[in-house]
Amino acid sequence: MSREHELHAEREHLAGLYDRLDTERGRVHDEYAAALRGEDGEAPMDRDVRVRETAARKRRLDVADHGLCFGRLDDTDGGRSYVGRIGLRDRDTDEPVLIDWRAPAARPFYVATGAHPEGVHRRRQFHTRGRRLEGFTDEVLDGAGEPGSDAALLAAVNAPRGEGMRDIVATIQGEQDEIIRLDHGGVVVIEGGPGTGKTVVALHRVAYLLYTHRERIARHGVLVVGPNRAFVRHVETVLPSLGETDVVFMTPGDLVPGLHVTREDPAAAAVAKGSLSILAVLTAAIADRQRLPEEPLPIELTDATVHLGADVAGWARDEARASGLPHNEARAVFVDVVRWALTERAVSRIGRGTLTAADREPLRVDVADEVASHEELARVIDDLWPVLTPQQLLAGFYETTDDPTLHRADGGAWTVADVPLLDELVDLLGRDPEAEAAAATTRRREDQEQAEYAAGVMEVMTLDREELDEDLGVTVQDLIHADALADRFVERDTRELAERAAADRDWTYRHVVVDEAQELSAMDWRVLMRRCPSRSFTVVGDLAQRRAPAGARSWGAMLDPYVPGRWVYRALTVNYRTPAEIMAVAAEVLAGFAPEVVPPESVRASGVEPWARPIGDLAEQVAAFRTDEADREGTSVVIGPPGVPGTVPASETKGLEFDAVLVVDPDRVLAESPADLYVALTRATQRLGVLYRGVRPAYLSRADASTTASATSPATGARTVQGARSR
């Protein structure tokens, strides 16, 4: 069959798959509408479960329009199967007509090579635009024909970058697929240099885990932690594009609900706060707020005056601490002991030598009631054992501590390193039982008011059924009955899982992804381990790119205290983002501060040499760069030291990629953090320029120094580093 005939046949086949997709989508849309209406006698909770399940299926079908089918496998026995974004089955035979990329049957599409064909004769990769098949590339793997190339991969890595990260379901490589499908219930550490795809591999691993363990994972969701908000915005569309939405995206500064912190501490403070030794500091700060009176305090009752001194308060404090309860909950023990002791003293004084045993008990009850409601005593107790919030305690500690490393005038000017401390204090302080009881009462009252309002609305709407049918074009049966609508507001949470999880500090996730994990401190890891009791993690990072002073220096040091023997290490070695010409410059920087680290091998060369020139009129040079890039498709960025106008710090570009990058004053970036310069030089997918001060740095020896060099010169060609798929 000629290539034109094959192309026509494949177009017809893909059109048939899209017809099946549309049919299935229409059926699920009908199921979703029926679930919203509910069935007679169906419990509201059951209806909500059905609504959410069908909504999730609808979302997964809705994302399949782009790249529904991206490949075909022909096996050595003459069989043929198609691989795509989702799975589809024949409605009559229930046979698969399209294999989900995560299914075991799709694995050869990603791992088969000429050396290990996995029973595959031909791998065909489709090139589509919307629903139209533009062409295909064949790769013969069993020696029966000419081998193909990595055309699909090169097309993807050479394509201009957009505003967000794209999924790679059509171009997953062998070493990536192995990690995505890794069957390990503990912690998987994925380490790789710039451009190796470790982030997108981690996200596809989440999609794979949700596919294979949906019942176990989906009910509690997945948490993805990235280094900054720009990174989160860059990656947060990947999983929705794969039909997965039960995912919460956060930065380390977001891990306490209600806080969105970005400010960073000086290095010394960050190290102090990131170390586990800060736990003793927090415990001591709490103990310091559990005070004793300096002198006996008079408590005037109706018939006697008693004194609360260090003896009684000390005894009460010892009992409260011995209870093992958190501070706010142990306060009840402290209060009970103080009240009991003062009541006994008052009874003894009032009835000294005049009361019989029968009279003493009623007196004790009366005095106990007066002591319990005594306003001055309540104020004294609040001073000796106050109810504390994490924010109150930590802010007060920072403002009063004698430690110059931790002291600051505005204690509540939170930094990212404060977030794990605030989270720790939630457990150390505990809840305020009285405040929680009051809040629960308020919630019940508000729910009841909403339920009554909903019932009233539905009563009005059903007064004239015929008029309703005529004016609105719907029947009453299409509406939610009043009692069902009202029931939605009574002690039920109708928010989406991701919204509920993000707002609940005590929510636990079934899986957590940590990107740029080398930046997390020991205290950060305590927060994350609390969020995932099952200890199911995908950890992504590169120790060579660590810039945080309290960050990881080895994976074992961070993980062994929590998951000894339950973590595995996998490395990615191929750079799919950075052209060989740019990576050669970055490798010179890497060799200067981490000579033991082998840089990843670039899968391609762009044909465009990076350039380096002295800084002249910086504003004019930056403007020229931006003007040149504005005429090109894709993205660009200017990276420089913190505080330099018109530039972005390297720390804010971690995990991001751009078609063109201009690095300003690299020596200053290097002086602040060698890893930051390494990051800055490896953000570009096509073009790199460097503007330096003074003498040309030695690490720029490979960059073009000619005055005619341009950061925006077009590529003169590309070449493939063979074997990328099999690495």
Side-chain angles (χ1 to χ4, degrees), residues 24 51 145 157 173 230 258 295 368 372 421 463 477 514 538 567 621 636 651 665 676:
E24 180 68 9
V51 166
V157 298
Q173 301 301 292
E295 57 184 33
L421 277 58
L463 287 178
Q477 285 71 26
V514 187
T538 299
W567 67 276
Q621 290 170 308
S636 62
S651 60
D665 204 349
D676 275 359

Side-chain angles (χ1 to χ4, degrees), residues 452-468 472 476 479 482 485:
E452 292 172 357
Y453 172 76
V457 170
M458 294 304 296
E459 182 178 354
V460 171
M461 293 179 69
T462 55
L463 287 178
D464 191 338
R465 295 190 176 192
E466 293 182 359
E467 181 179 344
L468 184 66
L472 300 183
V476 173
L479 300 172
L485 179 63

